Amino acid sequence: MPRQLPPRIGLFVNRTRELIELTHAMEASRLISVSGLGGVGKTQLVPQWIAALERDPFPDGHLYADLTDGRRDGSVDVAAVLRDFLLALGEDNDRLPSTLNGLSREFRSVTAGLRLLVVVDNVQHAPEVRPLVPGGGHLLVLSRRRLPSLEIDGATCVTVDPLDEQAGVELIRHWRHTAAPEAAAHLSRLCGGSPLALRAAGRQLLERSHVPLEDVVRDLGGDSDWLRGGDDEESTWGVFDRVLSGFPDHTRALYLLLGSLPGTTFTATAARAAGAERFDEALADLLATHLAVAHRPTAGQEPDRFRLHDVVRAHARAHAESAVPEERRTAALRQLVAHYVEFTTHADRLVLGGRQRLQPAPSGNTPFADSAEALAWLDAERANLLELLRTAAAHDWHDPVWQLCESLWALYHSRKYYTDWIESHRLGVTAAQWAPRPDVEIRLRNQLARAHMDLDEDGEAHAELDRAEELFGLVAEAWLHGVIWETRGLLSLKQGDAETAVDLFTRALRANKGDRHGVAVQSYNLAQALVAAGRPRRAVDLLDSVLAGTPEDDAMRMRIGIVLGRAHQALGAYERAVEVAIDAAVRAHGRKQYAKLNQALVLTAELADQVSDSPLRQACLDKLAELGSVAGGAAPDGPQP
């Protein structure tokens, strides 16, 4: 069961009213809206509330999403949030719908009857969360402002106010037991009731334990003139300024570096690639002052990804713009872009194997243990990669933009983040045009067409392919023609025109002559079309020939086996069909390719029924039920007992 809420901090004060109101709100409505200033403690309130209850009322799990991670120009890819939730609940990515409405319906179906808590942080508008209402349990929305539209929808509202002066004094006296009440109250007022600012000030108290509290207060700004107008960002910046000034040089440098770079999260590897020195020491300072936090830490494991609180990030960026020369910020950004190009290229090659690529092979050893780890890294870096693409495009760094785009096919083909997919590839196409690289433009337009095809936007898909074909005369690589014919063949097959698909896949196969992987892929596609066109014998002959030259450890053997089984089934060669279908199932199971395992098991169960092999049929049905358990939902559609 997912337990995704941020971890609790040790000290928590003065939220009795809010905790009681949350419990009452849970009893009154399935939709709860919690609002308050940035940094006031809304996010921390939720795990503290759960821990304060006698028993967790949400035994089926806690889901958490921070919309800051995926906000693009003010809008959020809600479909990506839903996809993340469904994956966390165990659903198989390959079986998820492609549209927002389809994902929302699937989410309601999967969560129907569950006692589940869904927490969505940093919400700006009600439409961002309406598709996220679960079929069972509660949706808790955290926002900096009240959302009247949610109240109209029936939400119960809870307001989180800044800590009162006495609560601030309690925190301060926890850190400095000997603090005089007047000085502690003064410091509490300076922090404006912001827990974030209070914790940052608390760091000063702990590090300067030999200095009288009155002197610390004076250094932090004893005249309170840094509380400018009550805006939630500005009201804490004065404390951040003074905490920053007390850092050693390497910590201040890391803070300004993070403010210079795009993205919402960072790792040690990325920060060092951008020029950070003494990173571990500097990070420890940022974590100790609560200016940085671990991002979605996994229980029992050391966190490897971090983020600045959103208010802190704004402060860091403002300071970086004024304190770091533009040429230094640009140099750090170039280094970071080069780091991401190298890592995404390594990840692409692990995830997708031997496909043809237009960019050079990466240098050095891969940083990933296997394809699963590489794909997980791409997924975790998704928001950073898109922001980096935008920034690189704004600097007219055309080669890194298209190289990142080409490699990101490994992520988008697997995870179907369509909003990111389309935006990134439009940037990539523009970069290819400026490079100028017509070969790259063909490839990226093809990858963009696949997104439109998945979204049932076939007209847009054909339009991208038409633009790509206009460039055929400018490139010598025949396989680039083949990728366009392949996508046109998939569109034809999707639309029920098997004969046209056969012709297009045949042309794509010829275009890949000499490339073993390309030949295997196009033969697989062609065989599907041949079976659909009623020519299974030709499909069998083609696939038998391809298998003879395909290594045992190649993932294509799994995919080919399913189509070969269908072809033998169409010929009535059931025993041979069973043999190859079982082999495909074993290979899919070994690779944890659950969608392909589902297809192979369904085929085997059908064949077992046709040859009256009841034990085999039942074994397949049992395995399908187990697969449904692994995937976190009902067993996939297939023959019924």
Side-chain angles (χ1 to χ4, degrees), residues 568-639:
H568 281 299
Q569 181 187 36
L571 290 170
Y574 299 128
E575 296 295 338
R576 177 58 179 155
V578 168
E579 181 182 343
V580 296
I582 290 177
D583 180 73
V586 170
R587 293 176 184 276
H589 185 272
R591 291 178 173 272
K592 297 185 179 180
Q593 292 281 343
Y594 295 125
K596 293 300 179 186
L597 177 56
N598 170 58
Q599 293 176 24
L601 288 170
V602 169
L603 172 59
T604 307
E606 291 177 5
L607 292 165
D609 196 35
Q610 289 171 316
V611 298
S612 301
D613 189 337
S614 297
L616 176 60
R617 182 174 184 273
Q618 189 58 51
C620 289
L621 295 175
D622 291 344
K623 197 67 179 177
L624 282 166
E626 180 185 335
L627 177 60
S629 176
V630 169
D637 292 339

Side-chain angles (χ1 to χ4, degrees), residues 2-15:
R3 290 287 186 267
Q4 297 182 343
L5 293 181
R8 290 191 300 143
I9 60 171
L11 188 63
F12 190 73
V13 299
N14 190 234
R15 292 303 187 200

Side-chain angles (χ1 to χ4, degrees), residues 309-327:
H309 184 281
D310 52 352
V311 176
V312 176
R313 187 167 61 251
H315 177 265
R317 286 179 177 168
H319 272 256
E321 288 177 3
S322 62
V324 182
E326 183 177 356
E327 59 270 20

Side-chain angles (χ1 to χ4, degrees), residues 74-129:
S75 63
V76 172
D77 186 354
V78 181
V81 176
L82 281 166
R83 187 173 293 276
D84 285 345
F85 282 170
L86 287 163
L87 292 175
L89 290 169
E91 292 297 293
D92 181 5
N93 178 74
D94 291 338
R95 296 188 304 178
L96 295 180
S98 59
T99 65
L100 174 59
N101 287 337
L103 287 165
S104 185
R105 287 193 297 270
E106 181 74 5
F107 183 59
R108 291 194 297 274
S109 298
V110 169
T111 58
L114 298 183
R115 289 181 291 171
L116 182 75
L117 177 64
V118 180
V119 181
V120 188
D121 208 345
N122 283 304
V123 175
Q124 293 184 1
H125 310 288
E128 294 175 344
V129 293

Side-chain angles (χ1 to χ4, degrees), residues 45-68:
L45 179 67
V46 182
Q48 298 286 355
W49 169 55
I50 296 295
L53 297 171
E54 289 187 9
R55 61 180 181 83
D56 186 350
F58 307 107
D60 293 317
H62 312 147
L63 295 173
Y64 176 82
D66 185 345
L67 298 192
T68 300

Side-chain angles (χ1 to χ4, degrees), residues 117-303:
L117 177 64
V118 180
V119 181
V120 188
D121 208 345
N122 283 304
V123 175
Q124 293 184 1
H125 310 288
E128 294 175 344
V129 293
R130 287 193 178 108
L132 304 177
V133 177
H138 289 68
L139 173 64
L140 198 156
V141 176
L142 307 180
S143 177
R144 289 189 179 186
R145 58 178 65 87
R146 292 190 67 172
L147 300 172
S149 295
L150 287 185
E151 296 181 51
I152 294 173
D153 291 347
T156 300
C157 298
V158 176
T159 300
V160 181
D161 294 320
L163 294 173
D164 62 28
E165 182 178 307
Q166 186 53 43
V169 169
E170 184 180 342
L171 282 173
I172 292 164
R173 289 177 68 86
H174 174 80
W175 298 316
R176 181 73 68 86
H177 300 296
T178 60
E182 297 81 6
H186 194 175
L187 181 55
S188 178
R189 289 193 297 272
L190 282 176
C191 293
S194 166
L196 198 64
L198 278 162
R199 290 197 294 271
R203 171 72 174 190
Q204 297 285 322
L205 300 181
L206 294 172
E207 287 192 339
R208 303 169 64 186
S209 58
H210 61 286
V211 178
L213 178 60
E214 292 78 1
D215 293 346
V216 177
V217 171
R218 183 174 57 252
D219 291 345
L220 285 174
D223 57 3
S224 300
D225 62 359
W226 55 277
L227 292 171
R228 302 186 294 266
D231 180 83
D232 60 308
E233 289 185 3
E234 293 183 347
S235 66
T236 57
W237 279 24
V239 169
F240 298 157
D241 288 347
R242 290 156 180 83
V243 172
L244 183 61
S245 68
F247 281 145
D249 289 345
H250 58 273
T251 304
R252 207 159 40 244
L254 175 61
Y255 188 78
L256 295 175
L257 176 66
L258 296 175
S260 302
L261 302 176
T264 58
T265 66
F266 62 94
T267 62
T269 304
R272 290 186 179 115
E277 298 179 354
R278 299 175 64 180
F279 174 83
D280 292 336
E281 299 170 59
L283 176 65
D285 288 337
L286 295 179
L287 292 173
T289 54
H290 301 279
L291 298 182
V293 295
H295 181 70
R296 295 185 181 178
T298 302
Q301 297 182 5
E302 287 295 317

